[in-house]
Amino acid sequence: MTVVMLHRYSRCNHRAAAPGVANPSLVHILGYMVFCRAEYAGKTESRGMDLSYLEIKGGVPLCGEIEIQGSKNAVLPILAACMLGEGVCIIENCPFIGDVEDTLEIMKMLGCRAERDGRTVSIDASEVKAYEIGGTCAARIRSSVLFLGALLGRMKRAVIPLPGGCAIGARPVDLHLWALGCLGAEFTGRDRIIASAKRLHGSTVKLPLSSVGATENTILAAVQAEGDTLIENAAREPEVDELCEFLNQRGAEIARLEDNSICVRGGKRLKGVRYCMKADRIVTGSYLLAAAATGGRIRVRNDSCRNLQSLVRVLQQMGAEIDCRDGATVLSSDGRLFAVPYLATAPYPGFPTDLQSPMMAALCRAEGKSRICETVFENRFRTADELKKMGAKIEICGKCAVIDGVEKLRGALLAAPDLRGGAALVIAALQSQGCTTIRDMTYVDRGYESIERDMSLLGADIKRYR
């Protein structure tokens, strides 16, 4: 069993530099290593015994119209942001997914009133007094670490367990701790993260890596800090901008500058707001890839692909026709796709790592050899072993996967290796011959509201058995 280590530095206690003093040493804080190893993440992922599985009969082109759920990667930091300020926050188009339900449970543990009515969630954090998060829910989802910035902003204290999530590689939270340390936070702890701050102060935070989570955590703390904070090399993902938009509607003053830095004016009073989540671009991309691979024609009503231009270009290179206008996206494909000679994942606006596995599945029958290089996570090719059970020809060479397109895939008994890998197996099954069974659907349910419902609406022969 892998042991999750917190290497101590200065007796596991880091003190951020005082205002006017240089930022704390990144080399220093990198001693505080928190890794979500595969065995650890797999152990903490389970929500109990989930025996449900999908049964898919492939070979049916996807056709029709569909509306995409609210964004998973945007709603999770926004829910954490509801902990800040005053008033009731009403989140519309909030998706019914496992990670959201776990996040709401965490918020209730902290003293929030959280009520759901369909896709609308109401959050009242006025009675929050607690600052310690228990391990069960938090250990299942990576985004639980975002409560670190939110609780520091509200309570000046936070205690959280090691964050969980999919077993897709080592994902240290060191940058989060270092960035929050720049604002005045101090950290202790061995098997959990214990944070405190006598006061939070604005600072210049120059992130050495463009981390989405570290950027969001810094924003959540900075809006309640004294003075202005400048986040240099801030992540450019649309979900970060949606968090800023939400906070601005509540009364914050946050701006993205021309060089993509983010400026946060701290200390503004935050009020309640009604906010509607934008469509999930990763779900949109998954469904477009499914339609392309099956030779179908679909129209996505509420997503214009404005934030998926990297995928649009690749789909056109593969031979699909895409029309993005009037707030909708239409894709047409005859199912005869061309290989992609080289594709590398990258932070936004590059090709998203979350679509790497679905893209691999779509390329399994493409004409020629494709090469995908994964530059974000080192353990995100586990889907390849499952695809090979279906007859796919895939060779993993370090950080790259070479996919040699085959004429057909055959149905098989499969297990979802992680969230996006599970969606990739659905895409493969939809274009295969025969019947495919996919178990371990808990992973997929973390990010897709009901993938079997959506595929059925587009004509797929797919059923879930419980």
Side-chain angles (χ1 to χ4, degrees), residues 355-367:
L355 285 177
Q356 179 257 105
S357 293
M359 174 60 72
M360 178 184 289
L363 289 171
C364 283
R365 293 193 309 120
E367 182 181 335

Side-chain angles (χ1 to χ4, degrees), residues 36-361:
C36 299
R37 301 265 184 194
E39 290 89 343
Y40 178 79
K43 173 183 161 186
T44 58
E45 174 73 25
S46 175
R47 289 181 170 79
M49 186 64 72
D50 180 8
L51 300 178
S52 70
Y53 61 92
L54 289 184
E55 191 173 275
I56 304 170
K57 295 179 181 177
V60 180
L62 298 184
C63 296
E65 289 192 353
I66 196 163
E67 185 170 315
I68 302 297
Q69 68 190 56
S71 171
K72 165 189 175 289
N73 291 338
V75 76
L76 298 178
I78 282 176
L79 288 174
C82 291
M83 298 284 295
L84 303 172
E86 305 169 352
V88 176
C89 293
I90 299 173
I91 310 299
E92 299 176 343
N93 196 28
C94 183
F96 275 108
I97 54 175
D99 276 12
V100 166
E101 300 312 305
D102 279 341
T103 299
L104 293 177
E105 285 303 311
I106 291 173
M107 299 180 77
K108 291 176 183 177
M109 291 176 190
L110 293 171
C112 286
R113 291 182 58 189
E115 300 177 355
R116 181 187 277 279
D117 180 12
R119 284 187 173 178
T120 300
V121 171
S122 176
I123 305 291
D124 183 354
S126 59
E127 300 299 320
V128 169
K129 298 292 189 294
Y131 57 84
E132 183 170 352
I133 297 175
T136 304
C137 288
R140 285 199 293 257
I141 57 173
R142 173 70 179 175
S143 61
S144 60
V145 74
L146 293 174
F147 283 97
L148 194 57
L151 286 170
L152 279 170
R154 181 183 179 92
M155 311 289 292
K156 303 300 182 285
R157 302 180 70 181
V159 180
I160 69 170
L162 305 183
C166 284
I168 55 176
R171 295 188 284 177
V173 298
D174 300 85
L175 285 183
H176 300 242
L177 307 184
W178 175 78
L180 293 171
C182 293
L183 304 184
E186 300 176 359
F187 300 94
T188 61
R190 288 179 61 85
D191 58 351
R192 57 183 179 167
I193 301 172
I194 302 173
S196 62
K198 292 180 180 178
R199 57 183 283 269
L200 292 175
H201 55 77
S203 180
T204 296
V205 181
K206 187 172 184 178
L207 294 173
L209 297 174
S210 182
S211 163
V212 174
T215 300
E216 292 170 338
N217 243 333
T218 306
I219 291 170
L220 291 171
V223 291
Q224 299 289 278
E226 300 174 16
D228 296 349
T229 296
L230 179 66
I231 308 172
E232 298 181 348
N233 196 30
R236 299 167 61 186
E237 272 69 8
E239 293 79 11
V240 174
D241 289 337
E242 190 163 1
L243 171 63
C244 295
E245 178 183 315
F246 170 76
L247 287 167
N248 282 341
Q249 289 190 19
R250 296 190 64 194
E253 289 188 22
I254 307 173
R256 188 179 285 277
L257 308 182
E258 289 184 1
D259 64 355
N260 285 309
S261 297
I262 293 176
C263 183
V264 183
R265 178 151 292 176
K268 296 297 180 180
R269 184 177 178 180
L270 303 182
K271 62 183 185 298
V273 73
R274 179 181 288 269
Y275 185 84
C276 184
M277 297 303 306
K278 295 178 174 62
D280 191 311
R281 66 191 177 105
I282 304 303
V283 174
T284 298
S286 300
Y287 293 178
L288 291 176
L289 285 166
T294 61
R297 176 183 172 85
I298 67 170
R299 182 176 186 268
V300 178
R301 288 195 297 267
N302 62 327
D303 196 331
S304 64
C305 267
R306 180 174 59 88
N307 293 323
L308 273 175
Q309 287 306 302
S310 60
L311 173 64
V312 169
R313 288 191 293 270
V314 176
L315 282 168
Q316 290 172 335
Q317 182 182 357
M318 293 165 66
E321 296 181 4
I322 301 184
D323 185 11
C324 304
R325 59 182 172 183
D326 300 328
T329 299
V330 177
L331 179 140
S332 300
S333 167
D334 60 8
R336 296 190 296 272
L337 301 179
F338 301 110
V340 178
Y342 180 80
L343 176 64
T345 62
Y348 189 85
F351 191 86
T353 181
D354 280 351
L355 285 177
Q356 179 257 105
S357 293
M359 174 60 72
M360 178 184 289

